[in-house]
């Protein structure tokens, strides 16, 4: 047993508290501090925190589908390399406002005869339906679209910053018909993200639509409506919104008045449905239409201004 004098000679007294790592003290006082792993003694706490943050960023980057990679900062490329490369037409990612403007122009371009087969839901309705505060409003808006009187219903979907297209087919037909029966088609230009993860919300959406129309269908019956996810051409960049517009354009042109899934759903939807060149040409046409509209709006505003200026002139007689 050591004497008191020997203990004091080692610089430790009976009144001294046992040593506690200051990082553990921080963890006791601030629980969130302990979400970072305690670094080894030779690594500072600040360096360890930076390491944890960088690790989370790297994991997030690795889990990010190619659709969104352009949003990450990148190193500036050499001017010489850029000049020597052929730069193809690049379609930018569409926000909901631009998407709606393109969709309106696209809808007007469909002939009246063909347009009678289809109806179109607003691009944000599905997203709003998922929010409890706006769910009932969305169902009431859909009721005014008379979707059960149309052969096909286009339902643009934007979830997790990604666009896809849902098409209701023959919803006015008997669910138990042996010939033509309702089905759904989900078109996605980025199938690596697993489009079927939307299925639970889609089926709940359909069930509520039936109930809002006063059709007493059960969840078991709605679950029997086939949800088809054909393989279609895939995007290379942030083009999901443009792909949805092109899906609508081509489907409106090619869809038959009736089809039976027992004979194979629309044969034209496959990985070779369209070429990259035809898609880029379609995107250029969309953009040029917006430019024309902007020019027309500018000219109209100038004419209004001139009309206002001339009408404000007061001529006084001598």
């Amino acid at each position: 047993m050591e004497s008191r004098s020997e203990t004091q000679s080692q610089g430790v007294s009976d009144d001294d508290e046992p040593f506690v790592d200051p990082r553990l003290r921080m963890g006791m006082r601030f629980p969130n501090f302990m979400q970072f792993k305690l670094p080894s003694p030779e690594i500072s706490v600040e360096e360890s925190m930076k390491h944890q943050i960088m690790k989370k960023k790297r994991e997030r980057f690795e889990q990010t589908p190619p659709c969104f990679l352009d949003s990450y900062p990148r190193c500036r490329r050499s001017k010489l390399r850029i000049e020597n490369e052929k730069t193809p037409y690049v379609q930018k990612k569409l926000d909901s406002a631009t998407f709606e403007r393109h969709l309106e122009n696209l809808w007007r371009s469909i002939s009246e005869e063909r347009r009678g087969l289809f109806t179109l839901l607003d691009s944000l309705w599905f997203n709003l339906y998922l929010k409890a505060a706006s769910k009932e409003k969305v169902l009431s808006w859909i009721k005014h679209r008379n979707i059960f009187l149309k052969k096909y219903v286009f339902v643009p979907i934007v979830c997790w910053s990604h666009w896809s297209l849902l098409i209701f087919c023959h919803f006015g037909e008997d669910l138990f018909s042996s010939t033509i029966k309702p089905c759904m088609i989900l078109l996605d230009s980025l199938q690596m993200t697993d489009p079927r993860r939307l299925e639970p919300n889609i089926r709940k959406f359909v069930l509520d639509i039936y109930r809002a129309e006063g059709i007493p269908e059960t969840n078991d019956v709605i679950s029997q409506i086939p949800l088809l996810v054909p393989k279609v051409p895939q995007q290379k960049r942030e083009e999901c919104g443009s792909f949805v517009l092109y899906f609508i354009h081509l489907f409106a042109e090619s869809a038959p008045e009736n089809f039976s899934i027992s004979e194979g759903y629309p044969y034209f939807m496959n990985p070779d449905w369209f070429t990259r060149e035809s898609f880029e040409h379609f995107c250029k046409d969309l953009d040029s239409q917006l430019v024309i509209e902007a020019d027309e709006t500018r000219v109209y505003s100038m004419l209004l201004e001139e009309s206002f200026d001339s009408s404000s002139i007061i001529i006084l007689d001598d």
Side-chain angles (χ1 to χ4, degrees), residues 80-231:
L80 180 62
R81 183 178 175 186
I82 294 173
E83 289 173 359
N84 290 337
E85 287 182 357
K86 264 189 169 181
T87 53
Y89 175 78
V90 177
Q91 175 64 26
K92 295 180 180 179
K93 187 175 181 179
L94 299 181
D95 57 41
S96 57
T98 307
F99 182 92
E100 277 295 328
R101 291 171 65 192
H102 284 318
L103 190 56
E104 288 174 8
N105 291 333
L106 177 60
W107 189 248
R108 286 196 294 267
S109 70
I110 301 172
S111 67
E112 288 189 17
E113 182 181 354
R114 291 290 296 174
R115 204 185 306 165
L117 298 174
F118 311 97
T119 191
L120 180 69
L121 301 191
D122 188 279
S123 61
L124 294 180
W125 283 3
F126 184 84
N127 187 274
L128 288 172
Y129 163 81
L130 299 179
K131 300 174 182 177
S134 49
K135 175 180 174 180
E136 294 303 323
K137 287 183 180 179
V138 171
L139 292 173
S140 66
W141 296 335
I142 293 174
K143 193 171 182 179
H144 293 298
R145 292 298 174 92
N146 298 317
I147 67 172
F148 290 92
L149 300 179
K150 300 293 182 178
K151 299 289 185 181
Y152 305 103
V153 181
F154 294 122
V155 187
I157 292 177
V158 55
C159 280
W160 305 296
S161 299
H162 177 63
W163 291 94
S164 53
L165 177 65
L166 177 66
I167 306 175
F168 295 154
C169 307
H170 307 306
F171 264 35
E173 303 294 336
D174 186 355
L175 288 170
F176 301 100
S177 170
S178 58
T179 53
I180 300 173
K181 61 173 62 178
C183 73
M184 299 179 284
I185 301 174
L186 182 59
L187 302 179
D188 197 311
S189 60
L190 196 64
Q191 292 196 347
M192 63 179 291
T193 59
D194 185 18
R196 286 198 176 274
R197 62 181 174 164
L198 290 168
E199 184 168 0
N201 285 331
I202 287 174
R203 293 201 179 277
K204 189 172 183 300
F205 182 51
V206 172
L207 178 62
D208 285 338
I209 289 174
Y210 269 85
R211 287 176 175 172
E213 289 284 344
I215 305 173
E217 297 298 351
T218 65
N219 194 27
D220 291 338
V221 173
I222 298 300
S223 66
Q224 294 179 33
I225 299 178
L227 176 62
L228 312 170
V229 186
K231 292 181 179 180

Side-chain angles (χ1 to χ4, degrees), residues 37-55:
K37 294 180 180 178
L38 288 177
S40 57
E42 63 272 11
I43 302 177
S44 68
V45 176
E46 183 179 354
E47 289 177 348
S48 176
M49 293 172 70
K50 285 181 180 178
H51 174 74
Q52 294 293 329
I53 292 171
M54 289 303 297
K55 183 180 178 183

Side-chain angles (χ1 to χ4, degrees), residues 303-314:
L303 290 173
L304 278 179
E305 231 176 274
E306 290 177 5
S307 174
F308 178 77
D309 291 341
S310 60
S311 63
S312 62
I313 297 174
I314 301 175

Side-chain angles (χ1 to χ4, degrees), residues 28-80:
M28 296 172 192
R29 295 179 60 189
F30 307 103
N32 289 337
F33 179 81
M34 294 307 293
Q35 66 182 329
F36 298 99
K37 294 180 180 178
L38 288 177
S40 57
E42 63 272 11
I43 302 177
S44 68
V45 176
E46 183 179 354
E47 289 177 348
S48 176
M49 293 172 70
K50 285 181 180 178
H51 174 74
Q52 294 293 329
I53 292 171
M54 289 303 297
K55 183 180 178 183
K56 288 182 181 296
K57 284 185 177 180
R58 185 170 62 253
E59 289 174 351
R60 182 184 170 197
F61 179 83
E62 290 171 351
Q63 295 171 1
T64 301
C67 178
F68 316 122
L69 289 181
D70 286 345
S71 60
Y72 281 84
R74 300 181 179 182
C75 297
R76 185 175 295 176
R77 299 176 65 196
S78 162
K79 289 184 179 179
L80 180 62

